[in-house]
Amino acid sequence: MDFDLSDEQRQLKDSVDRLLASAYGELTKRQGYMKEPNGYSAALWRQYAELGLLSVPFAEEHGGLGQGLTETMLLAEAFGRALAIEPYFATVVLGGGALRHSGNSALLSELVPSIVEGKLTLALAHQEAQARYNLADTATTARSDGKGGYTLEGEKRVALHGDSADKLIIAARASGGRAERKGVGLFLVDAKANGVTRRGYPTQDGMRAADITLSGVKVGPEAVLAGPETGLDVLEHTIDEAIAALAAEAVGAMAALHEMTVDYLKTRKQFGVPIGSFQVLQHRAVDMYASLEQARSMAFYATMMAGEPNATERRKATAAAKVQIGRSARHVGEQAIQLHGGIGMTMEYKAGHYFKRLTMIDMAYGDADHHLRELAKMGGLS
Amino acid sequence: MERDEAEHGSNEQPEDFDWAAPAAPSYFNYRKTTIYGGSNEIQRNILAKAVLGF
C-alpha cells in the first residue's frame, strides 16, 4: 500500500498548514474568532475560499476540484492541529457530503458554486433528542402535498453551526414507524424560511450549534434533496465520510497535543532536572505516542473505506475506526493533562481545549462504546 | 456452548467448545512475547530516546 502523498497533495497540505499556523498561532486569536457574529472568523472563511479549500470534494462539472477523500483527510488533520472553528466540517463535509451523495445534479449545480466562493454555508440537521445515535430514528414528519412538495414538522437537535448556516438540510420522515429504515427523506430548507426557529448556543469545544424547530415549513419539489426511498442511504454514507474526516481531525489534534506535552516534559524542571528525565514520565509519553499511531492507522483506514460502495463493509470500517479514535483520544487527552499538571487545566493554555475537542469528537455520531457494539453486531472486522 | 454449562458451579461437560481447551495454555505461553527482543519497558525506553528525543 502506498501512503506517500502526491506533489499536489503535499502542496495542499503545506498551504493550509501555513495559513492555519499564522491564523491560529496564539490561543487568543481563536478566542477572538469565537466572539465574531457567526462564532468563527469570516475573514479566514474567505481565505479558505480563495485557497480553493471549499471546492476540494465537489465534482468539476459542478464547480469543484473533483478531489478525493485523501485531500479531505489532509485538511481535517490540519484543522485538528490548529483547533480551527470555521464551519468546514458542517458546510463541506456534512452539507456537501449530503449533496454529493444525493446525486441531485440540479441542486449541486445551483449550490456548489456559492459554497466554493464561501458565500453559502450549510448545516445538517438530522439529530433528534430521542434518537441517541440511531440515524434512522426520526420523529420529524414530512407530509406530502401530493405534488412532489412536503410540509415539515418537528424538532432537531445540535445541528453543527446551525445558528449561522444559510441553508439547512433536514432529515424528516414521510412514512413508516419512528425508527424504521424506510421513509426518511432529506430536505433543503432556507434558514430564514417561514416556520423555522433556531436556538443557537456554544458547544464545549468552542464551536456553535443550534436546536431547530420546524412548524409547517413548506418544501417545494425542487428542494427535495433525497426522497424517502434513498434519504437514509445518503445520510449514512455522509456520516461515514464525516467520521473519517473527524478521525483525521482527531489525529491532528492528538499529534499537536502529544508534541506540546513532550516539549513541556523537556522544559519543566523539578528537583533541579527536567521532569522528562524521569523514566516513568517518558514511558507515559511513549504510551501516548502508541495510542496516537494506532489512531492514525485507523484514520487512514476509515478514509480508504469511506468510498466503499458496499455499505456493510464501509460501516464496519467506520465503526472500528471510531472505536480506536475514541479510545486514543481519551487516553492521549487525559495523559496530556496529567503530565502538564495544573497548567493543563487553564483556559489560557491549549492542552485543555484540545481535550475538549477530542472529547466532542468521541461523542459525535456514536462514541467508542456505541461503535464497538455496532461492530460486534456486524460480525467484527474480517 | 449451552447456557447451562456457562453457569457458575455447573458440572456439565462442555460440548462443541474445542477452542476453549487450548485457550488458557496459549495465553500463559504467550506471556513470553512481552519480553522477547527486550521487555515492553525496554521498548518504551528505546522509543523515548529514538522517537521522542528524551
PDB file of all heavy atoms in Angstrom, chain A residues 80-111:
ATOM      1  N   GLY A  80      -7.570  20.020  12.792  1.00  0.00           N
ATOM      2  CA  GLY A  80      -7.454  19.470  14.146  1.00  0.00           C
ATOM      3  C   GLY A  80      -6.225  19.987  14.863  1.00  0.00           C
ATOM      4  O   GLY A  80      -6.269  20.329  16.049  1.00  0.00           O
ATOM      5  N   ARG A  81      -5.139  20.039  14.132  1.00  0.00           N
ATOM      6  CA  ARG A  81      -3.880  20.524  14.689  1.00  0.00           C
ATOM      7  C   ARG A  81      -4.026  21.985  15.149  1.00  0.00           C
ATOM      8  O   ARG A  81      -3.536  22.364  16.204  1.00  0.00           O
ATOM      9  CB  ARG A  81      -2.812  20.403  13.595  1.00  0.00           C
ATOM     10  CG  ARG A  81      -1.426  20.766  13.969  1.00  0.00           C
ATOM     11  CD  ARG A  81      -0.481  20.361  12.855  1.00  0.00           C
ATOM     12  NE  ARG A  81       0.008  19.001  13.039  1.00  0.00           N
ATOM     13  CZ  ARG A  81       0.972  18.679  13.885  1.00  0.00           C
ATOM     14  NH1 ARG A  81       1.550  19.595  14.630  1.00  0.00           N
ATOM     15  NH2 ARG A  81       1.363  17.435  14.003  1.00  0.00           N
ATOM     16  N   ALA A  82      -4.751  22.782  14.328  1.00  0.00           N
ATOM     17  CA  ALA A  82      -4.899  24.211  14.628  1.00  0.00           C
ATOM     18  C   ALA A  82      -6.061  24.482  15.587  1.00  0.00           C
ATOM     19  O   ALA A  82      -6.183  25.580  16.094  1.00  0.00           O
ATOM     20  CB  ALA A  82      -5.127  24.981  13.326  1.00  0.00           C
ATOM     21  N   LEU A  83      -6.910  23.499  15.814  1.00  0.00           N
ATOM     22  CA  LEU A  83      -8.166  23.690  16.563  1.00  0.00           C
ATOM     23  C   LEU A  83      -9.044  24.734  15.874  1.00  0.00           C
ATOM     24  O   LEU A  83      -9.643  25.593  16.532  1.00  0.00           O
ATOM     25  CB  LEU A  83      -7.887  24.131  18.001  1.00  0.00           C
ATOM     26  CG  LEU A  83      -7.701  23.038  19.046  1.00  0.00           C
ATOM     27  CD1 LEU A  83      -7.487  23.682  20.422  1.00  0.00           C
ATOM     28  CD2 LEU A  83      -8.881  22.095  19.095  1.00  0.00           C
ATOM     29  N   ALA A  84      -9.111  24.643  14.558  1.00  0.00           N
ATOM     30  CA  ALA A  84      -9.878  25.618  13.778  1.00  0.00           C
ATOM     31  C   ALA A  84     -11.375  25.460  14.046  1.00  0.00           C
ATOM     32  O   ALA A  84     -11.856  24.350  14.262  1.00  0.00           O
ATOM     33  CB  ALA A  84      -9.594  25.431  12.291  1.00  0.00           C
ATOM     34  N   ILE A  85     -12.103  26.587  14.034  1.00  0.00           N
ATOM     35  CA  ILE A  85     -13.530  26.539  14.362  1.00  0.00           C
ATOM     36  C   ILE A  85     -14.427  26.963  13.200  1.00  0.00           C
ATOM     37  O   ILE A  85     -15.641  27.054  13.360  1.00  0.00           O
ATOM     38  CB  ILE A  85     -13.851  27.425  15.592  1.00  0.00           C
ATOM     39  CG1 ILE A  85     -13.326  28.849  15.388  1.00  0.00           C
ATOM     40  CG2 ILE A  85     -13.277  26.810  16.857  1.00  0.00           C
ATOM     41  CD1 ILE A  85     -13.732  29.803  16.496  1.00  0.00           C
ATOM     42  N   GLU A  86     -13.855  27.187  12.026  1.00  0.00           N
ATOM     43  CA  GLU A  86     -14.688  27.554  10.881  1.00  0.00           C
ATOM     44  C   GLU A  86     -15.539  26.340  10.471  1.00  0.00           C
ATOM     45  O   GLU A  86     -15.148  25.194  10.693  1.00  0.00           O
ATOM     46  CB  GLU A  86     -13.818  28.018   9.701  1.00  0.00           C
ATOM     47  CG  GLU A  86     -13.269  29.432   9.852  1.00  0.00           C
ATOM     48  CD  GLU A  86     -12.312  29.558  11.029  1.00  0.00           C
ATOM     49  OE1 GLU A  86     -11.476  28.658  11.184  1.00  0.00           O
ATOM     50  OE2 GLU A  86     -12.432  30.537  11.792  1.00  0.00           O
ATOM     51  N   PRO A  87     -16.688  26.622   9.825  1.00  0.00           N
ATOM     52  CA  PRO A  87     -17.644  25.517   9.574  1.00  0.00           C
ATOM     53  C   PRO A  87     -17.303  24.678   8.349  1.00  0.00           C
ATOM     54  O   PRO A  87     -18.180  24.358   7.560  1.00  0.00           O
ATOM     55  CB  PRO A  87     -18.971  26.258   9.396  1.00  0.00           C
ATOM     56  CG  PRO A  87     -18.588  27.584   8.851  1.00  0.00           C
ATOM     57  CD  PRO A  87     -17.267  27.929   9.452  1.00  0.00           C
ATOM     58  N   TYR A  88     -16.030  24.306   8.186  1.00  0.00           N
ATOM     59  CA  TYR A  88     -15.662  23.461   7.050  1.00  0.00           C
ATOM     60  C   TYR A  88     -16.369  22.116   7.141  1.00  0.00           C
ATOM     61  O   TYR A  88     -16.943  21.619   6.177  1.00  0.00           O
ATOM     62  CB  TYR A  88     -14.140  23.251   7.009  1.00  0.00           C
ATOM     63  CG  TYR A  88     -13.679  22.595   5.720  1.00  0.00           C
ATOM     64  CD1 TYR A  88     -13.283  23.368   4.638  1.00  0.00           C
ATOM     65  CD2 TYR A  88     -13.682  21.213   5.573  1.00  0.00           C
ATOM     66  CE1 TYR A  88     -12.904  22.786   3.440  1.00  0.00           C
ATOM     67  CE2 TYR A  88     -13.304  20.616   4.381  1.00  0.00           C
ATOM     68  CZ  TYR A  88     -12.913  21.410   3.322  1.00  0.00           C
ATOM     69  OH  TYR A  88     -12.554  20.828   2.139  1.00  0.00           O
ATOM     70  N   PHE A  89     -16.298  21.543   8.333  1.00  0.00           N
ATOM     71  CA  PHE A  89     -16.922  20.231   8.543  1.00  0.00           C
ATOM     72  C   PHE A  89     -18.425  20.306   8.291  1.00  0.00           C
ATOM     73  O   PHE A  89     -18.995  19.469   7.583  1.00  0.00           O
ATOM     74  CB  PHE A  89     -16.600  19.765   9.971  1.00  0.00           C
ATOM     75  CG  PHE A  89     -17.155  18.426  10.306  1.00  0.00           C
ATOM     76  CD1 PHE A  89     -16.617  17.270   9.780  1.00  0.00           C
ATOM     77  CD2 PHE A  89     -18.239  18.318  11.170  1.00  0.00           C
ATOM     78  CE1 PHE A  89     -17.149  16.026  10.084  1.00  0.00           C
ATOM     79  CE2 PHE A  89     -18.772  17.091  11.492  1.00  0.00           C
ATOM     80  CZ  PHE A  89     -18.227  15.935  10.946  1.00  0.00           C
ATOM     81  N   ALA A  90     -19.089  21.340   8.857  1.00  0.00           N
ATOM     82  CA  ALA A  90     -20.548  21.459   8.721  1.00  0.00           C
ATOM     83  C   ALA A  90     -20.954  21.703   7.274  1.00  0.00           C
ATOM     84  O   ALA A  90     -21.890  21.091   6.762  1.00  0.00           O
ATOM     85  CB  ALA A  90     -21.064  22.591   9.613  1.00  0.00           C
ATOM     86  N   THR A  91     -20.242  22.600   6.595  1.00  0.00           N
ATOM     87  CA  THR A  91     -20.664  23.012   5.257  1.00  0.00           C
ATOM     88  C   THR A  91     -20.174  22.060   4.169  1.00  0.00           C
ATOM     89  O   THR A  91     -20.945  21.606   3.336  1.00  0.00           O
ATOM     90  CB  THR A  91     -20.155  24.443   4.952  1.00  0.00           C
ATOM     91  OG1 THR A  91     -20.811  25.350   5.835  1.00  0.00           O
ATOM     92  CG2 THR A  91     -20.442  24.843   3.516  1.00  0.00           C
ATOM     93  N   VAL A  92     -18.868  21.748   4.187  1.00  0.00           N
ATOM     94  CA  VAL A  92     -18.302  20.993   3.064  1.00  0.00           C
ATOM     95  C   VAL A  92     -18.430  19.485   3.285  1.00  0.00           C
ATOM     96  O   VAL A  92     -18.804  18.750   2.372  1.00  0.00           O
ATOM     97  CB  VAL A  92     -16.826  21.388   2.830  1.00  0.00           C
ATOM     98  CG1 VAL A  92     -16.240  20.599   1.663  1.00  0.00           C
ATOM     99  CG2 VAL A  92     -16.719  22.885   2.571  1.00  0.00           C
ATOM    100  N   VAL A  93     -18.130  19.034   4.513  1.00  0.00           N
ATOM    101  CA  VAL A  93     -18.139  17.581   4.742  1.00  0.00           C
ATOM    102  C   VAL A  93     -19.572  17.074   4.946  1.00  0.00           C
ATOM    103  O   VAL A  93     -20.010  16.148   4.253  1.00  0.00           O
ATOM    104  CB  VAL A  93     -17.241  17.200   5.943  1.00  0.00           C
ATOM    105  CG1 VAL A  93     -17.296  15.695   6.185  1.00  0.00           C
ATOM    106  CG2 VAL A  93     -15.802  17.635   5.677  1.00  0.00           C
ATOM    107  N   LEU A  94     -20.324  17.677   5.875  1.00  0.00           N
ATOM    108  CA  LEU A  94     -21.687  17.196   6.143  1.00  0.00           C
ATOM    109  C   LEU A  94     -22.664  17.668   5.063  1.00  0.00           C
ATOM    110  O   LEU A  94     -23.280  16.848   4.374  1.00  0.00           O
ATOM    111  CB  LEU A  94     -22.161  17.692   7.511  1.00  0.00           C
ATOM    112  CG  LEU A  94     -21.525  17.058   8.746  1.00  0.00           C
ATOM    113  CD1 LEU A  94     -22.016  17.774  10.003  1.00  0.00           C
ATOM    114  CD2 LEU A  94     -21.841  15.572   8.843  1.00  0.00           C
ATOM    115  N   GLY A  95     -22.790  18.979   4.908  1.00  0.00           N
ATOM    116  CA  GLY A  95     -23.731  19.510   3.927  1.00  0.00           C
ATOM    117  C   GLY A  95     -23.335  19.107   2.511  1.00  0.00           C
ATOM    118  O   GLY A  95     -24.148  18.593   1.737  1.00  0.00           O
ATOM    119  N   GLY A  96     -22.071  19.312   2.194  1.00  0.00           N
ATOM    120  CA  GLY A  96     -21.565  18.954   0.867  1.00  0.00           C
ATOM    121  C   GLY A  96     -21.655  17.461   0.619  1.00  0.00           C
ATOM    122  O   GLY A  96     -21.952  17.015  -0.493  1.00  0.00           O
ATOM    123  N   GLY A  97     -21.393  16.674   1.652  1.00  0.00           N
ATOM    124  CA  GLY A  97     -21.487  15.213   1.531  1.00  0.00           C
ATOM    125  C   GLY A  97     -22.907  14.786   1.195  1.00  0.00           C
ATOM    126  O   GLY A  97     -23.132  13.963   0.303  1.00  0.00           O
ATOM    127  N   ALA A  98     -23.885  15.352   1.899  1.00  0.00           N
ATOM    128  CA  ALA A  98     -25.285  15.008   1.622  1.00  0.00           C
ATOM    129  C   ALA A  98     -25.657  15.403   0.193  1.00  0.00           C
ATOM    130  O   ALA A  98     -26.328  14.645  -0.518  1.00  0.00           O
ATOM    131  CB  ALA A  98     -26.210  15.693   2.627  1.00  0.00           C
ATOM    132  N   LEU A  99     -25.191  16.569  -0.230  1.00  0.00           N
ATOM    133  CA  LEU A  99     -25.443  16.999  -1.613  1.00  0.00           C
ATOM    134  C   LEU A  99     -24.839  16.023  -2.621  1.00  0.00           C
ATOM    135  O   LEU A  99     -25.503  15.581  -3.558  1.00  0.00           O
ATOM    136  CB  LEU A  99     -24.811  18.377  -1.858  1.00  0.00           C
ATOM    137  CG  LEU A  99     -25.617  19.623  -1.516  1.00  0.00           C
ATOM    138  CD1 LEU A  99     -24.733  20.859  -1.668  1.00  0.00           C
ATOM    139  CD2 LEU A  99     -26.829  19.737  -2.436  1.00  0.00           C
ATOM    140  N   ARG A 100     -23.557  15.690  -2.410  1.00  0.00           N
ATOM    141  CA  ARG A 100     -22.865  14.809  -3.358  1.00  0.00           C
ATOM    142  C   ARG A 100     -23.518  13.439  -3.414  1.00  0.00           C
ATOM    143  O   ARG A 100     -23.755  12.888  -4.490  1.00  0.00           O
ATOM    144  CB  ARG A 100     -21.391  14.668  -2.986  1.00  0.00           C
ATOM    145  CG  ARG A 100     -20.550  15.871  -3.405  1.00  0.00           C
ATOM    146  CD  ARG A 100     -19.153  15.866  -2.768  1.00  0.00           C
ATOM    147  NE  ARG A 100     -18.621  14.542  -2.611  1.00  0.00           N
ATOM    148  CZ  ARG A 100     -18.304  13.988  -1.440  1.00  0.00           C
ATOM    149  NH1 ARG A 100     -18.455  14.651  -0.321  1.00  0.00           N
ATOM    150  NH2 ARG A 100     -17.811  12.776  -1.375  1.00  0.00           N
ATOM    151  N   HIS A 101     -23.809  12.862  -2.251  1.00  0.00           N
ATOM    152  CA  HIS A 101     -24.343  11.501  -2.239  1.00  0.00           C
ATOM    153  C   HIS A 101     -25.793  11.439  -2.708  1.00  0.00           C
ATOM    154  O   HIS A 101     -26.263  10.378  -3.115  1.00  0.00           O
ATOM    155  CB  HIS A 101     -24.171  10.877  -0.863  1.00  0.00           C
ATOM    156  CG  HIS A 101     -22.729  10.646  -0.521  1.00  0.00           C
ATOM    157  ND1 HIS A 101     -21.906   9.866  -1.307  1.00  0.00           N
ATOM    158  CD2 HIS A 101     -21.945  11.123   0.472  1.00  0.00           C
ATOM    159  CE1 HIS A 101     -20.680   9.878  -0.801  1.00  0.00           C
ATOM    160  NE2 HIS A 101     -20.674  10.635   0.277  1.00  0.00           N
ATOM    161  N   SER A 102     -26.488  12.569  -2.650  1.00  0.00           N
ATOM    162  CA  SER A 102     -27.862  12.568  -3.160  1.00  0.00           C
ATOM    163  C   SER A 102     -27.851  12.434  -4.682  1.00  0.00           C
ATOM    164  O   SER A 102     -28.803  11.942  -5.272  1.00  0.00           O
ATOM    165  CB  SER A 102     -28.573  13.873  -2.783  1.00  0.00           C
ATOM    166  OG  SER A 102     -28.097  14.946  -3.587  1.00  0.00           O
ATOM    167  N   GLY A 103     -26.761  12.879  -5.312  1.00  0.00           N
ATOM    168  CA  GLY A 103     -26.681  12.847  -6.770  1.00  0.00           C
ATOM    169  C   GLY A 103     -27.688  13.781  -7.432  1.00  0.00           C
ATOM    170  O   GLY A 103     -27.974  13.658  -8.615  1.00  0.00           O
ATOM    171  N   ASN A 104     -28.229  14.700  -6.654  1.00  0.00           N
ATOM    172  CA  ASN A 104     -29.230  15.649  -7.174  1.00  0.00           C
ATOM    173  C   ASN A 104     -28.503  16.746  -7.950  1.00  0.00           C
ATOM    174  O   ASN A 104     -28.060  17.744  -7.393  1.00  0.00           O
ATOM    175  CB  ASN A 104     -30.010  16.226  -5.985  1.00  0.00           C
ATOM    176  CG  ASN A 104     -31.164  17.094  -6.409  1.00  0.00           C
ATOM    177  OD1 ASN A 104     -31.085  17.795  -7.414  1.00  0.00           O
ATOM    178  ND2 ASN A 104     -32.238  17.045  -5.635  1.00  0.00           N
ATOM    179  N   SER A 105     -28.382  16.544  -9.283  1.00  0.00           N
ATOM    180  CA  SER A 105     -27.479  17.429 -10.037  1.00  0.00           C
ATOM    181  C   SER A 105     -28.033  18.842 -10.158  1.00  0.00           C
ATOM    182  O   SER A 105     -27.258  19.794 -10.256  1.00  0.00           O
ATOM    183  CB  SER A 105     -27.142  16.845 -11.408  1.00  0.00           C
ATOM    184  OG  SER A 105     -28.303  16.398 -12.026  1.00  0.00           O
ATOM    185  N   ALA A 106     -29.357  18.983 -10.123  1.00  0.00           N
ATOM    186  CA  ALA A 106     -29.909  20.345 -10.179  1.00  0.00           C
ATOM    187  C   ALA A 106     -29.458  21.144  -8.961  1.00  0.00           C
ATOM    188  O   ALA A 106     -28.983  22.281  -9.091  1.00  0.00           O
ATOM    189  CB  ALA A 106     -31.432  20.283 -10.228  1.00  0.00           C
ATOM    190  N   LEU A 107     -29.578  20.546  -7.771  1.00  0.00           N
ATOM    191  CA  LEU A 107     -29.171  21.258  -6.557  1.00  0.00           C
ATOM    192  C   LEU A 107     -27.656  21.419  -6.485  1.00  0.00           C
ATOM    193  O   LEU A 107     -27.155  22.445  -6.024  1.00  0.00           O
ATOM    194  CB  LEU A 107     -29.691  20.534  -5.311  1.00  0.00           C
ATOM    195  CG  LEU A 107     -31.186  20.719  -5.011  1.00  0.00           C
ATOM    196  CD1 LEU A 107     -31.615  19.900  -3.810  1.00  0.00           C
ATOM    197  CD2 LEU A 107     -31.511  22.203  -4.788  1.00  0.00           C
ATOM    198  N   LEU A 108     -26.917  20.406  -6.944  1.00  0.00           N
ATOM    199  CA  LEU A 108     -25.451  20.519  -6.950  1.00  0.00           C
ATOM    200  C   LEU A 108     -25.012  21.694  -7.817  1.00  0.00           C
ATOM    201  O   LEU A 108     -24.196  22.523  -7.407  1.00  0.00           O
ATOM    202  CB  LEU A 108     -24.819  19.219  -7.444  1.00  0.00           C
ATOM    203  CG  LEU A 108     -24.685  18.099  -6.406  1.00  0.00           C
ATOM    204  CD1 LEU A 108     -24.517  16.746  -7.078  1.00  0.00           C
ATOM    205  CD2 LEU A 108     -23.512  18.368  -5.464  1.00  0.00           C
ATOM    206  N   SER A 109     -25.576  21.783  -9.024  1.00  0.00           N
ATOM    207  CA  SER A 109     -25.199  22.878  -9.931  1.00  0.00           C
ATOM    208  C   SER A 109     -25.594  24.229  -9.352  1.00  0.00           C
ATOM    209  O   SER A 109     -24.905  25.223  -9.559  1.00  0.00           O
ATOM    210  CB  SER A 109     -25.887  22.714 -11.290  1.00  0.00           C
ATOM    211  OG  SER A 109     -25.610  21.453 -11.812  1.00  0.00           O
ATOM    212  N   GLU A 110     -26.699  24.246  -8.623  1.00  0.00           N
ATOM    213  CA  GLU A 110     -27.179  25.515  -8.072  1.00  0.00           C
ATOM    214  C   GLU A 110     -26.333  25.956  -6.870  1.00  0.00           C
ATOM    215  O   GLU A 110     -25.972  27.127  -6.739  1.00  0.00           O
ATOM    216  CB  GLU A 110     -28.647  25.364  -7.655  1.00  0.00           C
ATOM    217  CG  GLU A 110     -29.274  26.644  -7.127  1.00  0.00           C
ATOM    218  CD  GLU A 110     -30.606  26.380  -6.421  1.00  0.00           C
ATOM    219  OE1 GLU A 110     -31.312  25.419  -6.801  1.00  0.00           O
ATOM    220  OE2 GLU A 110     -30.914  27.135  -5.470  1.00  0.00           O
ATOM    221  N   LEU A 111     -26.003  25.005  -5.976  1.00  0.00           N
ATOM    222  CA  LEU A 111     -25.422  25.383  -4.685  1.00  0.00           C
ATOM    223  C   LEU A 111     -23.899  25.350  -4.632  1.00  0.00           C
ATOM    224  O   LEU A 111     -23.286  26.168  -3.938  1.00  0.00           O
ATOM    225  CB  LEU A 111     -25.963  24.477  -3.574  1.00  0.00           C
ATOM    226  CG  LEU A 111     -27.482  24.465  -3.393  1.00  0.00           C
ATOM    227  CD1 LEU A 111     -27.870  23.491  -2.293  1.00  0.00           C
ATOM    228  CD2 LEU A 111     -27.998  25.866  -3.068  1.00  0.00           C
TER     229      LEU A 111
END
